[in-house]
Amino acid sequence: MSALLAVSFFDRLAEVSTSPVTYGVVFLVAALDAFFPLVPSETAVITAGTVAATGDLFLWAIIPAAALGAFVGDNVSYGLGAVFGERAAKRLFRGERGRRRLRKAQRLLDRYGALVIVLARFIPGGRTATTFAAGTLDLTWRRFVLYDAIAVTVWAVYATMIGYLGGTAFRESIWQALLLGFGVAIAVTALIELVRRVRAGAG
């Protein structure tokens, strides 16, 4: 399903690549992914970065659009946790798997503090649980905003540059560039998840 979403997004992006609407799409997808993980924000940002390598999009505009969208979405997730708590959790984290993910995020935040917010931004699905859990705990919004601003900035630069560097290396084949970008993104995400699991097991 994610592959189909990637193809669909790329086709749409190619159609409007010279339009300012594209940056709005990147913003919207990044925002929705914070509390609706089925939306492929990495796919959107990496694809936009790849297209930027061809000169059809501006790199300096993609990064802030992605970062600001992610920041808004993360704060919506935090707000849902802070204001609605358990009622929102029942809707956002249905089933035992979802509840387990939320409890794990709460434990990690209790143990390691706000630094978890930065690391969780690189784990699809994990970022939703972490930002929501932050709202349910004694983590002030001011502190959350500080760490989240760092997280979304690093994430936006990372995802955009993966796409841009891939597009630069494979100018003759945009699909090879996209595959390279997605491969690197998946590898980094898997590495972060592996380190988190090892540390959790050691604790």
Side-chain angles (χ1 to χ4, degrees), residues 53-75:
T54 68
D56 288 332
L57 290 175
F58 295 113
L59 196 66
W60 56 263
I62 297 170
I63 293 173
L68 186 58
F71 182 78
V72 170
D74 286 350
N75 277 269

Side-chain angles (χ1 to χ4, degrees), residues 178-195:
L178 286 171
L179 288 173
L180 174 64
F182 296 147
V184 173
I186 291 171
V188 171
T189 300
L191 179 61
I192 292 174
E193 178 67 8
L194 177 62
V195 171

Side-chain angles (χ1 to χ4, degrees), residues 4-182:
L4 292 176
L5 288 171
V7 172
S8 176
F9 179 82
F10 180 76
D11 289 340
R12 293 294 181 88
L13 190 61
E15 292 175 5
V16 297
S17 61
T18 59
S19 170
V21 172
T22 303
Y23 305 108
V25 171
V26 171
F27 170 90
L28 184 62
V29 172
L32 288 175
D33 185 43
F35 50 91
F36 188 59
L38 291 178
V39 178
S41 62
E42 274 83 9
T43 299
V45 181
I46 291 172
T47 302
T50 303
V51 174
T54 68
D56 288 332
L57 290 175
F58 295 113
L59 196 66
W60 56 263
I62 297 170
I63 293 173
L68 186 58
F71 182 78
V72 170
D74 286 350
N75 277 269
V76 169
S77 181
Y78 176 93
L80 288 172
V83 176
F84 298 105
E86 187 62 27
R87 284 180 295 169
K90 289 179 180 178
R91 291 182 176 274
L92 290 174
F93 302 95
R94 296 177 179 177
E96 181 55 32
R97 183 178 180 182
R99 301 293 291 178
R100 188 165 58 247
R101 182 180 297 170
L102 179 59
R103 289 194 297 268
K104 183 180 293 185
Q106 290 171 329
R107 288 196 301 270
L108 288 171
L109 283 166
D110 277 335
R111 183 170 183 178
Y112 299 109
L115 182 61
V116 175
I117 295 168
V118 178
L119 297 177
R121 168 105 307 254
F122 295 87
I123 305 174
R127 70 186 60 143
T128 305
T130 302
T131 53
F132 183 90
T136 66
L137 301 175
D138 294 329
L139 183 67
T140 65
W141 180 71
R142 180 178 296 182
R143 192 171 182 216
F144 173 82
V145 165
L146 173 63
Y147 279 85
D148 193 54
I150 296 171
V152 299
T153 301
V154 173
W155 172 82
V157 172
Y158 146 82
T160 304
M161 291 309 298
I162 282 179
Y164 184 80
L165 293 174
T168 301
F170 296 96
R171 288 184 185 275
E172 302 301 320
S173 177
I174 198 73
W175 286 108
Q176 283 185 339
L178 286 171
L179 288 173
L180 174 64
F182 296 147

